[in-house]
Amino acid sequence: MERQNRMKRLAVFLLTAALLCAWMAMTAAEDADQIYVENEWNYVDGSMDVRHGIPDNATGVLDRIRRNGVLRVATEPYFAPQEFIDPEKTGQDQYAGADMKLARLIAERMGVELEIIPMEFTQVLPALAEDQCDLTISALSYTPARATSYTLSKGYYFTDSVASSGFIIREEDKEKITSLEDLADKTLIAQSSSLQEALAAAHVRSYKEFRRISTVQTVFETVRQGKADAGVVDIETAETYIMNNPGCGLCIVENMFFTLDEAYQGDRIAAKKNEEMLLYFVNGVIDEVLEDGTYLKWYEEAGERAAELGL
């Protein structure tokens, strides 16, 4: 009888093991058959389950991140509340903002360390092609040119306003600048390599001079100091700056703004071209923070801190 029981237990064990091996083989086959692609707008909107970290069949940069144990993220830390420097902290902890919390969560889900690499905005995308970083998280807007040159994530932050970008001027000039035609004899500025630069270049036909500026904070200061007449800026960022700097003497031109098609809206995360698998992982984290409202909570908290710092 004991021998029969042992044989039954062995048979059950072997059957269970066989079923487990079959399931693992089927799962591996499904993973191997997964196709990672961009949509018709050349950005990635597919996602993967990130609960178990980087998958064993990872390739490209995602595999390199797993092997190195480090996720390197490039950012320009001067765009509050998405990314900014908290002067009361040091080292990696000084990089604050909603995007930096998103970067930290992506690294956590990957099971690796995070290295935030600050650089000028003009360099955050080229750094990908030069392998100076793995991802760029820097309040990037979608543009067709960026989507052609880099692999972009789905959108993760959307403004409440239909208008995305507009013009900031000095309050003393709000009667003088009310239309694009009024810029004919004016100096116009925008942050170099930004969506706002592209919009101005494409749609503003007449101006005295059009200059590119290194940071959006410098755009505000240049207009405030009278060294330029108008700046093309992200409207929400401009509203935050004006609110946090009462008496700065700046205002946003009413009824003079740019809007984006729905498919182009939302901040994006970028990787090297042809790194769709990496962006499927990133999108899995984006899904998580959008579904439970975590990113908006981070954004509000970062906005409060940025206000305390006067950013």
Side-chain angles (χ1 to χ4, degrees):
M1 180 65 71
E2 180 62 27
R3 176 182 175 83
Q4 290 179 341
N5 289 336
R6 287 201 302 269
M7 293 298 293
K8 287 180 180 179
R9 288 196 294 269
L10 178 60
V12 170
F13 172 78
L14 292 175
L15 177 60
T16 302
L19 291 174
L20 179 60
C21 290
W23 177 81
M24 292 176 64
M26 182 174 63
T27 301
E30 289 175 352
D31 289 342
D33 292 340
Q34 174 69 60
I35 299 175
Y36 302 96
V37 296
E38 296 175 336
N39 59 25
E40 62 267 39
W41 297 286
N42 289 338
Y43 69 81
V44 174
D45 55 6
S47 305
M48 71 166 65
D49 185 347
V50 300
R51 291 175 297 177
H52 306 295
I54 298 174
D56 292 338
N57 66 335
T59 59
V61 172
L62 186 58
D63 179 49
R64 182 178 71 192
I65 293 168
R66 179 181 60 181
R67 287 186 285 105
N68 293 343
V70 178
L71 169 65
R72 302 170 302 158
V73 171
T75 192
E76 184 224 32
Y78 303 106
F79 198 81
Q82 282 94 328
E83 41 267 325
F84 58 94
I85 292 177
D86 190 325
E88 295 182 0
K89 298 181 180 180
T90 60
Q92 290 284 298
D93 291 338
Q94 70 182 306
Y95 302 113
D99 280 2
M100 298 299 91
K101 288 198 172 184
L102 178 57
R104 291 183 174 99
L105 182 60
I106 292 171
E108 180 182 329
R109 293 292 179 265
M110 288 181 171
V112 300
E113 297 295 321
L114 174 67
E115 180 185 2
I116 297 172
I117 307 173
M119 56 184 67
E120 291 188 1
F121 191 74
T122 55
Q123 296 303 311
V124 294
L125 286 172
L128 292 167
E130 296 167 5
D131 282 330
Q132 297 177 12
C133 62
D134 305 309
L135 293 174
T136 289
I137 307 180
S138 197
L140 291 171
S141 300
Y142 173 97
T143 70
R146 286 174 182 168
T148 299
S149 301
Y150 303 94
T151 308
L152 300 181
S153 73
K154 62 172 62 176
Y156 63 87
Y157 176 67
F158 303 85
T159 63
D160 294 331
S161 173
V162 174
S164 66
S165 301
F167 297 81
I168 194 163
I169 61 174
R170 293 180 296 279
E171 289 182 341
E172 62 195 64
D173 292 333
K174 63 182 179 182
E175 301 298 330
K176 301 175 184 177
I177 303 177
T178 60
S179 67
L180 293 181
E181 289 74 20
D182 295 330
L183 297 173
D185 60 344
K186 303 294 191 297
T187 297
L188 179 66
I189 61 175
Q191 183 181 22
S192 181
S193 300
S194 68
L195 170 64
Q196 289 70 38
E197 177 195 4
L199 290 170
H203 300 288
V204 182
R205 303 300 183 187
S206 182
Y207 43 79
K208 178 182 177 181
E209 182 183 6
F210 182 25
R211 301 205 313 265
R212 278 74 172 174
I213 306 297
S214 60
T215 71
V216 69
Q217 295 293 323
T218 308
V219 170
F220 296 140
E221 289 303 304
T222 302
V223 174
R224 186 183 66 80
Q225 295 169 7
K227 297 178 181 179
D229 299 296
V232 187
V233 293
D234 174 82
I235 288 179
E236 192 167 63
T237 302
E239 290 173 340
T240 299
Y241 180 87
I242 293 171
M243 179 181 66
N244 293 344
N245 294 273
C248 66
L250 298 178
C251 65
I252 299 169
V253 182
E254 295 182 3
N255 302 317
M256 190 169 147
F257 50 80
F258 302 101
T259 59
L260 297 175
D261 291 340
E262 184 177 353
Y264 297 172
Q265 294 173 10
D267 291 349
R268 313 295 173 113
I269 295 174
K272 286 176 64 175
K273 198 62 181 173
N274 301 319
E275 290 295 336
E276 288 83 5
M277 188 176 190
L278 171 58
L279 268 297
Y280 266 67
F281 191 101
V282 168
N283 281 348
V285 182
I286 289 174
D287 288 345
E288 178 182 342
V289 300
L290 293 187
E291 183 177 351
D292 61 10
T294 295
Y295 188 85
L296 287 178
K297 180 181 177 182
W298 288 341
Y299 189 92
E300 292 170 359
E301 292 172 348
E304 293 173 359
R305 180 56 178 158
E308 293 174 2
L309 298 173
L311 300 178

Coordinates of all heavy atoms in Angstrom, one line a residue, residues 168 170 189 213 215-228 241 245 248 250 310:
I168 N 4.6 85.3 -24.1 CA 4.7 86.1 -22.9 C 5.4 87.4 -23.2 O 6.3 87.5 -24.0 CB 5.5 85.3 -21.8 CG1 5.3 85.9 -20.5 CG2 7.0 85.1 -22.2 CD1 5.7 85.0 -19.3
R170 N 5.8 91.8 -21.6 CA 5.8 92.7 -20.5 C 4.4 93.3 -20.4 O 3.7 93.6 -21.4 CB 6.8 93.8 -20.5 CG 8.2 93.3 -20.4 CD 9.3 94.4 -20.5 NE 9.2 95.0 -21.8 CZ 9.8 94.5 -22.9 NH1 10.5 93.4 -22.8 NH2 9.8 95.2 -24.0
I189 N 11.8 85.5 -28.9 CA 12.7 84.4 -28.4 C 11.9 83.2 -28.1 O 10.7 83.2 -27.8 CB 13.5 84.9 -27.2 CG1 12.6 85.3 -26.0 CG2 14.4 86.1 -27.6 CD1 13.3 85.7 -24.8
I213 N 17.1 80.7 -27.0 CA 17.6 80.9 -25.7 C 17.8 79.5 -25.0 O 17.1 78.6 -25.3 CB 16.7 81.7 -24.8 CG1 16.4 83.1 -25.5 CG2 17.2 82.0 -23.4 CD1 17.6 84.0 -25.7
T215 N 17.5 78.2 -21.8 CA 16.5 77.6 -20.9 C 15.2 78.5 -20.9 O 15.2 79.7 -21.2 CB 17.0 77.6 -19.4 OG1 17.1 78.9 -18.9 CG2 18.4 76.9 -19.4
V216 N 14.1 77.9 -20.5 CA 12.8 78.6 -20.4 C 12.9 79.7 -19.3 O 12.3 80.7 -19.5 CB 11.7 77.6 -20.2 CG1 11.7 77.0 -18.8 CG2 10.3 78.3 -20.5
Q217 N 13.6 79.4 -18.3 CA 13.7 80.4 -17.2 C 14.4 81.7 -17.8 O 14.1 82.8 -17.4 CB 14.5 79.9 -16.0 CG 13.8 78.8 -15.3 CD 12.6 79.2 -14.6 OE1 12.5 80.3 -14.0 NE2 11.6 78.4 -14.6
T218 N 15.4 81.5 -18.6 CA 16.1 82.6 -19.3 C 15.2 83.3 -20.2 O 15.3 84.5 -20.4 CB 17.4 82.1 -20.0 OG1 18.2 81.3 -19.1 CG2 18.2 83.3 -20.5
V219 N 14.3 82.6 -20.9 CA 13.3 83.3 -21.7 C 12.5 84.3 -20.9 O 12.3 85.4 -21.3 CB 12.4 82.2 -22.4 CG1 11.2 82.9 -23.1 CG2 13.1 81.4 -23.4
F220 N 12.0 83.8 -19.8 CA 11.2 84.7 -18.9 C 12.0 86.0 -18.5 O 11.6 87.1 -18.6 CB 10.7 84.0 -17.6 CG 9.8 82.9 -17.9 CD1 9.9 81.7 -17.2 CD2 8.8 83.0 -18.9 CE1 9.0 80.6 -17.5 CE2 7.9 81.9 -19.1 CZ 8.0 80.8 -18.4
E221 N 13.3 85.7 -18.1 CA 14.1 86.8 -17.6 C 14.5 87.8 -18.7 O 14.6 89.0 -18.5 CB 15.4 86.2 -16.9 CG 15.1 85.6 -15.6 CD 14.4 86.5 -14.6 OE1 15.0 87.6 -14.3 OE2 13.3 86.2 -14.1
T222 N 14.7 87.2 -19.9 CA 15.1 88.1 -21.0 C 14.0 89.0 -21.4 O 14.2 90.2 -21.7 CB 15.5 87.2 -22.2 OG1 16.6 86.3 -21.8 CG2 16.0 88.0 -23.4
V223 N 12.8 88.5 -21.4 CA 11.6 89.4 -21.7 C 11.4 90.4 -20.6 O 11.2 91.6 -20.8 CB 10.3 88.6 -22.0 CG1 9.1 89.5 -22.1 CG2 10.5 87.7 -23.2
R224 N 11.5 89.9 -19.3 CA 11.3 90.8 -18.2 C 12.3 91.9 -18.2 O 11.9 93.1 -17.9 CB 11.4 90.0 -16.9 CG 11.1 90.8 -15.6 CD 11.3 89.9 -14.4 NE 12.7 89.6 -14.2 CZ 13.6 90.5 -13.7 NH1 13.2 91.7 -13.3 NH2 14.9 90.1 -13.5
Q225 N 13.5 91.7 -18.6 CA 14.6 92.7 -18.6 C 14.5 93.6 -19.8 O 15.3 94.5 -19.9 CB 15.9 92.0 -18.4 CG 16.1 91.3 -17.1 CD 17.4 90.4 -17.1 OE1 18.2 90.5 -18.1 NE2 17.6 89.6 -16.1
G226 N 13.6 93.4 -20.7 CA 13.5 94.2 -21.9 C 14.5 93.9 -23.0 O 14.7 94.7 -23.9
K227 N 15.2 92.7 -22.9 CA 16.2 92.4 -23.9 C 15.5 91.6 -25.1 O 16.2 91.3 -26.0 CB 17.2 91.5 -23.2 CG 18.0 92.2 -22.2 CD 19.0 91.3 -21.5 CE 19.8 92.0 -20.4 NZ 20.8 91.1 -19.8
A228 N 14.2 91.3 -24.9 CA 13.4 90.8 -26.0 C 12.0 91.3 -25.8 O 11.6 91.6 -24.6 CB 13.5 89.3 -26.0
Y241 N 5.1 80.4 -13.6 CA 6.1 81.4 -13.3 C 5.5 82.7 -12.8 O 6.0 83.3 -11.8 CB 7.0 81.6 -14.6 CG 8.1 82.7 -14.4 CD1 9.3 82.3 -13.9 CD2 7.9 84.0 -14.7 CE1 10.3 83.2 -13.7 CE2 8.9 84.9 -14.5 CZ 10.1 84.5 -14.0 OH 11.1 85.4 -13.8
N245 N 6.0 84.4 -9.1 CA 6.8 85.6 -9.1 C 6.0 86.9 -9.2 O 6.0 87.6 -10.3 CB 7.9 85.5 -10.2 CG 8.9 84.4 -10.1 OD1 9.9 84.6 -9.4 ND2 8.6 83.3 -10.6
C248 N 6.5 90.4 -11.3 CA 7.6 90.2 -12.3 C 7.3 91.1 -13.5 O 8.2 91.3 -14.4 CB 7.7 88.8 -12.7 SG 6.2 88.1 -13.5
L250 N 5.2 90.5 -16.1 CA 5.0 89.7 -17.3 C 3.5 89.3 -17.4 O 2.8 89.1 -16.4 CB 5.9 88.5 -17.3 CG 7.4 88.7 -17.4 CD1 8.1 87.4 -17.4 CD2 7.8 89.5 -18.6
G310 N 10.0 79.8 -5.4 CA 9.8 80.9 -6.4 C 10.2 80.6 -7.8 O 10.7 81.5 -8.5

